[in-house]
Amino acid sequence: MVGVVAFAVVNSAGWEDVKQSFFNRQEFDESFPDILSAFWLNVKIFLIAEVFILVFALVIAVLRGLPGPVFFPIRALAVVYVDLFRGVPTILVIYILGFGVPALALPGVPNEPLFWGIVSLVLVYSAYVSEVYRAGIDSVHPSQAAAARSLGLTHGQALRFVVVPQAVRRVIPPLLNDFIGLQKDTALVALLGVVEAFRQSQIDVAGSFNYTPYIATAIIFIALTVPMARFTDWLIARDKRRQQAGRLA
Amino acid sequence: MSSVALEIVDLHKSFGKLEVLRGIDLTLAEHEVVCLIGASGSGKSTLLRCVNLLEPIDSGRIVVRGEEITAPGVDVNALRRGIGIVFQSFNLFPHMSVLRNITLGPQKALGVPAADANAHADELLARFGLADKREEYPDRLSGGQQQRVAIVRALAMQPGLLLLDEVTSALDPELVAEVLEVIRELAGEGMTMLIATHEMSFARDVAHRVCFLDAGVILEEGPPEQVFGAPREPRTQQFLQRIVQAGRL
Ligand SMILES: Nc1ncnc2c1ncn2[C@@H]1O[C@H](COP(=O)(O)OP(=O)(O)O)[C@@H](O)[C@H]1O
Ligand SMILES: [Mg+2]
């Protein structure tokens, strides 16, 4: 299958041109170091965003699970938040926050595009990740919370010491999946003019009228996401083995 | 047997349209052991869970050592610290060692320093022949060992009242004796206990009083010799007959 497609591509009428403009060895060698060093910014964006997402999403998930009618407004707010940021395309959130907020020129509010790019990613991904957490929390049998409460632990303590640790263990593979998506989406911050890997490749392309830098960028992204994907697969397979061995009840 | 450990007055509890408890009246003196018998689905678990406020009640009063726990504004966490409950399905925390399972409550709910909590846990583990299991995780223990750990976990809170909900029902027959032995020992020490059980010969041995729960009320109660030997109510006679036929008395 892959062979057939490759054969068709290589023998197509335009292949020589495409080869020149996308797979130019010289262009590749020239642009690669620039793009790679710009890619460190992607890595930084990813790491910073990830830390905030992990914490913020858990807060959202916990708020959404608060018991009793007293907390209804908070639960409703959490639901609205999740619906909103899962519904609006990431690219729009980045445009709105990245161009909108600095334009307001509010005193004391940062106006660097990078800052708002990261905020946008945190807001969007926290909505997704909070749902992952929530599924994890729901998957812990209520008898565990009951056992914790029966010892006199508060709702918060039962969550913190008993429910959440078990929930997090179960959702590590889907969490990693979301983070593979986040890694790719760090490129969207380029839309605000931040010079990360994708923006750097655009600059290189504009300078040489050759598209090879895009290929270089793609390779760099793949080099990071593929190992993470394999690691996720491995974790899932391991959990499955354990479950079959009856260890994770 | 003088002062009152637990007093339940006209307790009602429904799940939706199903009225499970239709006016329960029951009093336990300090150091008294009461066994609760009744068909599966008669509401034994529900009654125990109500006493620990794991289920909200519809009406009636529950008074534990002079404090009405069903009054509005009661600190349920403080209350639960004084009442231990052991569940049919153990409900140990699978992500914690045996030691941690036992010390979590004392440390987090009672504020006992780690060293003291550990020392007390070790003392209890040694007493119940579980000293070598201290560092094990629950999934490495037999059912009988898990249930003994669950009892120790409840005892570590030094409760004034212990609720046991069919603690041997989930066990293989050969593991039942070791758990019953622990309960006998506690009864001998004067622990106040309310025990839901299907083990009739055990109930006959250990109980000061047996209560037969039927159709949401305590239909008959009395010393085990009377309830088992000369039941007054036809429903009790039927129930015991079925038990005898099943070879459990
Ligand atoms: N959380 C619940 N929601 C709805 N029905 C319940 C719930 N818990 C128990 N019941 C029902 O209440 C009745 C009594 O249950 P239970 O107290 O577990 O009885 P027992 O412990 O004597 O077997 C049963 O009919 C059961 O289906
Ligand atoms: Mg039951």
Side-chain angles (χ1 to χ4, degrees):
Chain A
M1 182 64 199
V2 175
V4 172
V5 173
F7 183 82
V9 167
V10 171
N11 287 286
S12 63
W15 171 241
E16 272 312 312
D17 286 348
V18 170
K19 191 174 158 191
Q20 257 313 304
S21 51
F22 279 89
F23 300 98
N24 185 313
R25 180 72 208 203
Q26 197 194 335
E27 286 292 337
F28 187 89
D29 290 346
E30 275 173 21
S31 62
F32 191 82
D34 283 357
I35 298 172
L36 187 61
S37 67
F39 186 68
W40 285 118
L41 184 55
N42 293 77
V43 173
K44 259 189 244 167
I45 293 171
F46 170 72
L47 290 177
I48 293 170
E50 179 174 315
V51 170
F52 283 99
I53 291 163
L54 282 173
V55 176
F56 188 47
L58 184 57
V59 172
I60 301 290
V62 167
L63 291 182
R64 211 172 155 169
L66 285 176
V70 191
F71 294 108
F72 175 76
I74 294 179
R75 281 199 299 274
L77 229 87
V79 172
V80 168
Y81 169 84
V82 172
D83 286 354
L84 187 69
F85 282 98
R86 282 201 308 178
V88 181
T90 312
I91 195 165
L92 267 177
V93 176
I94 289 178
Y95 267 122
I96 292 169
L97 289 182
F99 291 125
V101 180
L104 293 173
L106 294 168
V109 175
N111 57 8
E112 298 93 55
L114 179 58
F115 175 84
W116 289 106
I118 293 176
V119 168
S120 305
L121 290 176
V122 170
L123 289 174
V124 169
Y125 273 85
S126 292
Y128 284 100
V129 171
S130 78
E131 288 295 282
V132 173
Y133 276 132
R134 199 162 67 97
I137 288 172
D138 286 350
S139 79
V140 177
H141 198 272
S143 63
Q144 285 287 307
R149 297 306 301 274
S150 79
L151 293 171
L153 268 59
T154 62
H155 177 75
Q157 286 175 321
L159 272 178
R160 173 157 167 226
F161 298 113
V162 175
V163 178
V164 170
Q166 294 183 58
V168 167
R169 251 159 257 221
R170 289 177 202 189
V171 299
I172 286 174
L175 276 182
L176 287 175
N177 249 329
D178 277 352
F179 284 139
I180 291 169
L182 173 64
Q183 227 162 42
K184 293 194 304 181
D185 280 356
T186 55
L188 292 173
V189 176
L191 298 169
L192 301 175
V194 173
V195 185
E196 45 65 71
F198 173 55
R199 184 78 191 126
Q200 180 61 48
S201 64
Q202 283 183 317
I203 292 168
D204 290 350
V205 167
S208 64
F209 300 106
N210 186 290
Y211 297 116
T212 304
Y214 289 153
I215 299 297
T217 310
I219 289 171
I220 292 172
F221 270 100
I222 288 172
L224 204 64
T225 51
V226 167
M228 208 151 136
R230 290 295 82 75
F231 178 62
T232 309
D233 291 346
W234 177 79
L235 276 181
I236 293 170
R238 193 195 60 176
D239 281 359
K240 212 170 181 174
R241 275 201 307 277
R242 285 197 180 167
Q243 238 153 26
Q244 276 160 0
R247 280 184 48 94
L248 282 175
Chain B
M1 294 201 182
S2 50
S3 59
V4 174
L6 169 68
E7 188 184 8
I8 301 171
V9 184
D10 198 26
L11 174 64
H12 288 257
K13 168 71 188 174
S14 303
F15 292 110
K17 285 207 171 68
L18 177 71
E19 190 174 21
V20 178
L21 304 178
R22 305 162 176 253
I24 300 282
D25 293 290
L26 178 64
T27 304
L28 262 76
E30 295 279 2
H31 311 301
E32 196 179 14
V33 177
V34 171
C35 280
L36 208 52
I37 61 171
S40 185
S42 59
K44 302 182 294 295
S45 299
T46 304
L47 177 56
L48 295 183
R49 291 170 62 88
C50 285
V51 173
N52 208 15
L53 299 185
L54 287 172
E55 294 288 353
I57 68 168
D58 298 334
S59 67
R61 287 193 309 136
I62 303 175
V63 182
V64 174
R65 301 175 143 189
E67 192 189 0
E68 183 179 346
I69 66 174
T70 42
V74 157
D75 180 353
V76 292
N77 300 315
L79 167 96
R80 291 200 188 108
R81 284 171 215 146
I83 303 176
I85 184 165
V86 182
F87 305 93
Q88 187 173 346
S89 52
F90 328 141
N91 300 358
L92 292 177
F93 308 130
H95 61 301
M96 293 180 186
S97 68
V98 163
L99 183 71
R100 188 78 184 123
N101 260 280
I102 297 167
T103 57
L104 182 74
Q107 277 186 254
K108 302 302 173 190
L110 298 176
V112 175
D116 298 353
N118 288 348
H120 186 212
D122 281 332
E123 210 174 281
L124 288 168
L125 285 171
R127 218 180 101 196
F128 295 108
L130 292 161
D132 56 328
K133 305 297 179 207
R134 175 180 202 270
E135 303 297 335
E136 291 284 10
Y137 281 77
D139 60 8
R140 309 263 310 199
L141 304 180
S142 74
Q145 289 165 340
Q146 288 189 52
Q147 194 57 296
R148 277 148 64 207
V149 170
I151 294 172
V152 168
R153 178 173 71 178
L155 291 177
M157 296 294 289
Q158 304 190 291
L161 170 64
L162 195 57
L163 311 170
L164 303 169
D165 188 5
E166 293 193 39
V167 293
T168 57
S169 295
L171 296 177
D172 292 335
E174 75 272 19
L175 301 176
V176 169
E178 64 186 72
V179 173
L180 294 183
E181 199 42 53
V182 169
I183 302 169
R184 267 198 193 92
E185 199 178 320
L186 294 175
E189 285 169 14
M191 174 67 79
T192 313
M193 290 188 280
L194 181 54
I195 306 173
T197 186
H198 275 139
E199 301 287 339
M200 298 303 159
S201 58
F202 166 75
R204 180 178 274 182
D205 275 6
V206 84
H208 299 122
R209 198 149 44 100
V210 173
C211 297
F212 175 58
L213 192 61
D214 185 69
V217 296
I218 291 175
L219 189 64
E220 178 162 4
E221 66 178 297
E225 310 79 56
Q226 183 250 303
V227 175
F228 290 124
R232 284 187 303 263
E233 299 287 337
R235 298 271 309 168
T236 318
Q237 289 161 12
Q238 274 171 23
F239 171 74
L240 290 171
Q241 219 154 38
R242 279 204 305 277
I243 296 279
V244 171
Q245 278 158 9
R248 299 192 73 150
L249 187 68

